[in-house]
Amino acid sequence: MGVFCNIRHMKLSQAKTEIEALREEIRYHERKYYVETKPEIPDSEFDMLMKHLEALEFEFPELVSPDSPTQRVGGEPLKGFKQVTHKVPMLSLDNTYSEDELKAFDERVRKSLKEDPEYIVEPKIDGLAVNLFYQDGKFVQASTRGDGTRGDDVSGNIRTIRSVPLKIPVKFELEIRGEVYLTKEELARLNRGRESEGEELFANPRNAAAGSLKLLDPKIVAKRNLNIFLHTLGSAAGSGWKTHEEMLVSLRKAGLPAVTPAKKCSSISAVIDYVNSWESKRDSLPFEIDGMVIKVNSYEEQKVLGTTNKSPRYAIAYKFKARQAVTKLLDILVQVGRTGILTPVAVLEPVHLSGSTISRCTLHNEDEIKRKDIRVGDFVVIEKGGEVIPKVVGVVQSKRTGKEKLFSMPPHCPVCGSKVSRLGEEVAVKCQNVSCKAQVEGRVIHFTRRNAMDIENFGPAIVEKLISTGKVNDYADLYYLKQEELSGLDRMGEKSALNLVEGLEKSKKNTLSRLIFALGISDVGENTAELLSSKYADLDALAAATIEDLQKIRGVGPKVAVSINNFFQESHNLKVIEKLKKAGVNTKRKKEELATGSKFKDMTFVFTGELASFTRDEAEREVKKLGGTASGSVSAKTSYVVAGNEPGSKLAKAKKLGVKVLEEEDFKKLLK
Ligand code: IVH
């Protein structure tokens, strides 16, 4: 409190001095903690410094600057990424897998140079390549590699990486490349969270880094605790650096996270010894590496060697062999995920593979099992490449006895016994029973979501409690909960219980389209739900529709039609719907769900970029009011793409397909 009182009486000039001093102190400790991993103060002390700076900046907003440590996670979620053209193309590396290939690389190098080269050998980080750009010592932009020439502007996401300094003591323009990655620990933590949310796991750090950088909301990215190693110079006119080694040392001095370890070797035999020593040591690193990178040290020599249009001639990757083991496939179990997808899982004779014992491993789907001809009783080869999650790569045919058993997916859900279905070309087999025990939690959470029935205050923790205490077995049960029952739950007061009951009561009056979306029919998103409610007067009419009827609706393909039909064939689902009706949930179309005009009948609009006069939702609503359809993706059937500010890739696709593009003003004229 004392701090805040002092701040109020502070003069601007005094605040400025204090803010700058605090920022420098915080930057110093960020560097110690995140770059050098040698913290000097406890976390609590660091948090105090941050809080003090935040308080000062709150009181003096005119002193906030983008390079302040408080400005790592800012701004609203983006609508899409701007494209950035790299000043120097971002190339890739040629791979080698053997000592002979490394020797051949060395011979090629030596042939082009007058003297024997020095090499620098670094770990090949399993992550995603990015380019960072600093101007006047300030972080100004970061982009992904993309196609090597153009990538996405992911500056907001990269700012959240605490080892990326926002200010550096470097005067010249610096373009520097590196690898965004997750430590093994962070990836495991992320995957644990995804598993409990019923989401697909990231198979390796590369996928996790790529998936994270694609997120449009830096607030979510910040929670991923991404990290980065810088390993390649883009451009640095005026740096005077003559070697790669000098560059790495200078980066480190400037507080930038240069890749480490980086070892100088004066011959290819020293390189070979060094990379071999890492083949076994790699498990001891806190991050995944999938090989080593060998680079000619001198920039002058790098220039002489040059590049092909794909990769440099002065560097090469040496890839480690994937770590494999052979074990017996004892059985194939079928698990049901929270979204109803059935997944075959291999039960293996426990086997040790690079630091862990493996006894289970996903087989993904039935097609994959057929393609690899995997049978119960087989000896299988399992592999952990850069992959955290092991996979079955094949069968040891020579060990077959003839007693092995073929596998096929069960026709019924192993959890609830309902008939399962496979939709269209999809490889996934699904159980569509909304009261299936494996799915209840996920389905109830979906039902209550803001864009579904919008029932306030139903967090995942409460849902879990209601299910585990047997009070809720499907989403219709929510409407039969009594206030007294709810207030008896963990830490729930009477007021909160009343709020929940009121929220439920209010939701009974929702539109038909919200209800259809909330039911959780496979492949029926919000747009399709709106389409369906504009065609059918009530839920009974939709339930009675045949596949042929449904397919006649523009925007409903065969796969979606079969999915809807299957959903209403499932007897458990019909019982749940009856319960919803009995509770008084509206199942009839409301007037506002019908289009008031037909000007856009049979037309599909796609929006890209930011519009000045509408939010995306408002613009889509305008289209629907006039009988049109709004879609998220461009196809040859799209009538118009409306391009706002900073349009994304949809604009390029529209141009490629010859779809008419409208500017916001044209769209407004059309509405009139
Ligand atoms: S040097 C011209 N050094 O591996 C490209 N790359 O398979 C120069 N990578 O695209 C890259 N660790 O994203 C270099 N220590 C390292 C690396 C590294 C990981 C990635 C990089 C590159 C990919 C090639």
Side-chain angles (χ1 to χ4, degrees):
M1 194 58 203
V3 170
F4 293 91
C5 294
N6 290 341
I7 291 173
R8 287 238 168 92
H9 298 111
M10 215 178 242
K11 284 204 195 89
L12 186 69
S13 61
Q14 200 187 346
K16 199 170 171 189
T17 316
E18 186 149 342
I19 283 180
E20 250 333 302
L22 259 173
R23 284 181 188 159
E24 274 315 311
E25 197 175 350
I26 291 172
R27 282 183 194 121
Y28 173 82
H29 290 297
E30 277 190 324
R31 173 177 170 176
K32 285 286 158 200
Y33 189 99
Y34 294 102
V35 182
E36 297 172 21
T37 55
K38 284 190 202 115
E40 288 178 356
I41 54 171
D43 292 1
S44 56
E45 220 168 287
F46 181 83
D47 292 344
M48 291 264 288
L49 292 173
M50 272 303 251
K51 286 226 166 70
H52 191 177
L53 177 60
E54 277 163 9
L56 274 164
E57 289 184 349
F58 180 78
E59 209 54 45
F60 297 93
E62 63 273 44
L63 296 180
V64 175
S65 69
D67 62 357
S68 170
T70 59
Q71 303 301 302
R72 287 203 175 268
V73 191
E76 287 301 300
L78 301 174
K79 299 243 162 58
F81 294 111
K82 260 195 302 192
Q83 293 288 294
V84 177
T85 303
H86 304 306
K87 286 206 194 89
V88 183
M90 286 180 80
L91 301 178
S92 188
L93 287 172
D94 278 343
N95 288 328
T96 56
Y97 299 88
S98 66
E99 289 182 10
D100 284 348
E101 283 175 286
L102 281 181
K103 284 182 189 152
F105 162 72
D106 176 56
E107 262 167 41
R108 285 197 302 275
V109 167
R110 279 191 294 123
K111 231 187 212 166
S112 306
L113 300 178
K114 288 194 204 94
E115 286 173 40
D116 281 355
E118 254 176 9
Y119 292 113
I120 299 285
V121 188
E122 299 162 0
K124 186 169 185 301
I125 318 294
D126 189 1
L128 194 82
V130 291
N131 186 48
L132 309 190
F133 187 48
Y134 285 87
Q135 221 168 20
D136 298 325
K138 294 201 175 124
F139 169 84
V140 282
Q141 193 179 59
S143 50
T144 58
R145 178 172 178 272
D147 61 7
T149 311
R150 276 158 73 80
D152 289 338
D153 181 340
V154 288
S155 309
N157 290 347
I158 296 294
R159 288 179 80 87
T160 70
I161 303 178
R162 304 291 292 266
S163 56
V164 171
L166 301 177
K167 192 175 170 206
I168 50 171
V170 170
K171 294 272 173 294
F172 48 84
E173 263 189 18
L174 175 64
E175 211 181 317
I176 190 86
R177 275 118 200 228
E179 213 69 11
V180 169
Y181 68 96
L182 276 99
T183 59
K184 290 174 189 168
E185 198 182 328
E186 282 301 330
L187 179 59
R189 190 183 64 89
L190 177 60
N191 271 343
R192 276 196 300 275
R194 291 176 76 84
E195 192 166 24
S196 70
E197 288 299 314
E199 289 170 292
E200 203 180 321
L201 303 191
F202 288 119
N204 52 47
R206 191 196 139 74
N207 290 0
S212 304
L213 288 187
K214 268 202 208 114
L215 294 169
L216 294 167
D217 188 352
K219 287 194 185 67
I220 305 175
V221 182
K223 295 198 183 118
R224 297 265 165 110
N225 294 333
L226 298 174
N227 218 326
I228 192 167
F229 268 133
L230 303 175
H231 54 57
T232 306
L233 186 61
S235 62
S239 69
W241 296 329
K242 293 204 163 44
T243 63
H244 180 68
E245 185 187 31
E246 210 181 323
M247 185 272 292
L248 292 178
V249 171
S250 302
L251 290 190
R252 245 169 255 139
K253 269 200 195 133
L256 285 153
V259 67
T260 180
K263 163 100 172 158
K264 191 152 69 182
C265 296
S266 52
S267 68
I268 199 67
S269 58
V271 167
I272 291 169
D273 286 347
Y274 187 66
V275 298
N276 283 339
S277 76
W278 274 104
E279 180 111 41
S280 53
K281 275 194 299 190
R282 65 170 152 154
D283 286 337
S284 65
L285 289 170
F287 46 88
E288 281 289 343
I289 64 174
D290 54 355
M292 302 296 281
V293 181
I294 298 100
K295 300 170 181 173
V296 168
N297 192 18
S298 149
Y299 283 149
E300 194 53 49
E301 288 177 352
Q302 286 194 2
K303 219 162 114 195
V304 172
L305 288 156
T307 69
T308 67
N309 54 11
K310 241 186 73 232
S311 48
R313 291 197 191 87
Y314 52 80
I316 203 140
Y318 173 78
K319 298 277 284 231
F320 293 140
K321 284 169 213 72
R323 293 160 292 190
Q324 291 190 332
V326 172
T327 189
K328 194 167 179 185
L329 176 63
L330 302 174
D331 199 1
I332 298 179
L333 296 180
V334 177
Q335 278 181 353
V336 186
R338 286 173 50 158
T339 51
I341 294 178
L342 273 62
T343 308
V345 177
V347 181
L348 304 163
E349 207 159 77
V351 61
H352 208 69
L353 182 59
S354 64
S356 58
T357 304
I358 292 150
S359 52
R360 298 238 168 159
C361 149
T362 175
L363 292 168
H364 301 288
N365 54 60
E366 195 175 8
D367 287 9
E368 178 97 348
I369 296 175
K370 287 215 174 93
R371 198 168 52 76
K372 291 181 180 156
D373 187 23
I374 299 168
R375 304 177 190 185
V376 175
D378 267 334
F379 279 87
V380 290
V381 182
I382 58 170
E383 187 176 290
K384 246 181 169 185
E387 317 279 296
V388 181
I389 303 163
K391 59 181 177 199
V392 173
V393 285
V395 168
V396 186
Q397 294 285 347
S398 59
K399 287 202 169 195
R400 278 230 165 120
T401 61
K403 287 195 185 132
E404 294 76 17
K405 290 198 186 74
L406 287 169
F407 169 83
S408 58
M409 256 334 199
H412 295 101
C413 170
V415 174
C416 70
S418 303
K419 220 171 125 210
V420 294
S421 56
R422 191 171 161 165
L423 300 175
E425 303 282 288
E426 240 176 45
V427 286
V429 173
K430 278 186 183 166
C431 164
Q432 280 240 54
N433 169 13
V434 299
S435 45
C436 171
K437 285 259 177 306
Q439 304 169 54
V440 180
E441 197 175 322
R443 288 192 179 267
V444 172
I445 289 172
H446 169 78
F447 188 85
T448 60
R449 282 208 172 108
R450 205 158 59 87
N451 48 352
M453 292 301 266
D454 192 18
I455 308 169
E456 275 171 44
N457 304 316
F458 262 106
I462 297 173
V463 170
E464 204 222 281
K465 198 95 233 146
L466 289 169
I467 292 169
S468 64
T469 50
K471 290 188 170 59
V472 164
N473 292 304
D474 56 60
Y475 40 61
D477 285 345
L478 293 174
Y479 291 103
Y480 296 85
L481 290 168
K482 303 258 172 336
Q483 193 188 333
E484 311 83 77
E485 262 178 306
L486 285 164
S487 60
L489 285 177
D490 246 19
R491 278 188 284 160
M492 164 114 46
E494 269 181 35
K495 180 83 180 71
S496 318
L498 181 67
N499 284 343
L500 283 181
V501 174
E502 282 176 359
L504 280 160
E505 208 45 45
K506 199 171 113 201
S507 76
K508 288 183 184 170
K509 300 190 189 76
N510 277 342
T511 55
L512 176 60
S513 67
R514 272 187 182 272
L515 177 64
I516 295 173
F517 175 60
L519 291 178
I521 307 169
S522 278
D523 297 301
V524 174
E526 286 168 86
N527 277 332
T528 311
E530 281 177 16
L531 258 180
L532 294 170
S533 69
S534 70
K535 301 288 170 199
Y536 295 95
D538 57 34
L539 201 59
D540 288 339
L542 173 63
T546 63
I547 296 176
E548 292 73 37
D549 293 338
L550 290 162
Q551 260 181 263
K552 281 186 203 138
I553 304 173
R554 199 180 142 96
V556 175
K559 188 174 140 199
V560 178
V562 171
S563 171
I564 298 168
N565 193 260
N566 282 350
F567 184 90
F568 290 108
Q569 299 274 311
E570 173 54 54
S571 61
H572 299 93
N573 295 352
L574 299 180
K575 278 190 200 138
V576 175
I577 290 171
E578 272 317 303
K579 277 205 294 192
L580 286 172
K581 281 191 198 160
K582 237 189 185 155
V585 174
N586 171 53
T587 57
K588 296 199 170 22
R589 178 172 62 207
K590 297 192 160 192
K591 262 201 220 105
E592 71 229 43
E593 294 185 76
L594 276 178
T596 49
S598 56
K599 189 170 175 185
F600 291 166
K601 188 169 176 280
D602 294 337
M603 287 187 193
T604 306
F605 286 69
V606 175
F607 292 89
T608 177
E610 207 170 328
L611 301 175
S613 342
F614 310 85
T615 64
R616 181 73 57 88
D617 272 354
E618 284 164 357
E620 291 188 353
R621 228 173 290 137
E622 291 298 321
V623 167
K624 284 169 200 161
K625 263 204 264 173
L626 293 174
T629 308
S631 167
S633 55
V634 183
S635 76
K637 284 187 189 157
T638 307
S639 319
Y640 293 106
V641 165
V642 183
N645 201 14
E646 293 179 15
S649 58
K650 288 174 199 165
L651 179 61
K653 188 156 180 205
K655 285 184 180 156
K656 201 167 139 204
L657 294 173
V659 173
K660 197 155 183 309
V661 177
L662 298 179
E663 298 210 346
E664 184 168 352
E665 284 312 307
D666 308 324
F667 174 62
K668 277 185 172 165
K669 274 184 207 148
L670 213 59
L671 287 177
K672 279 182 195 154

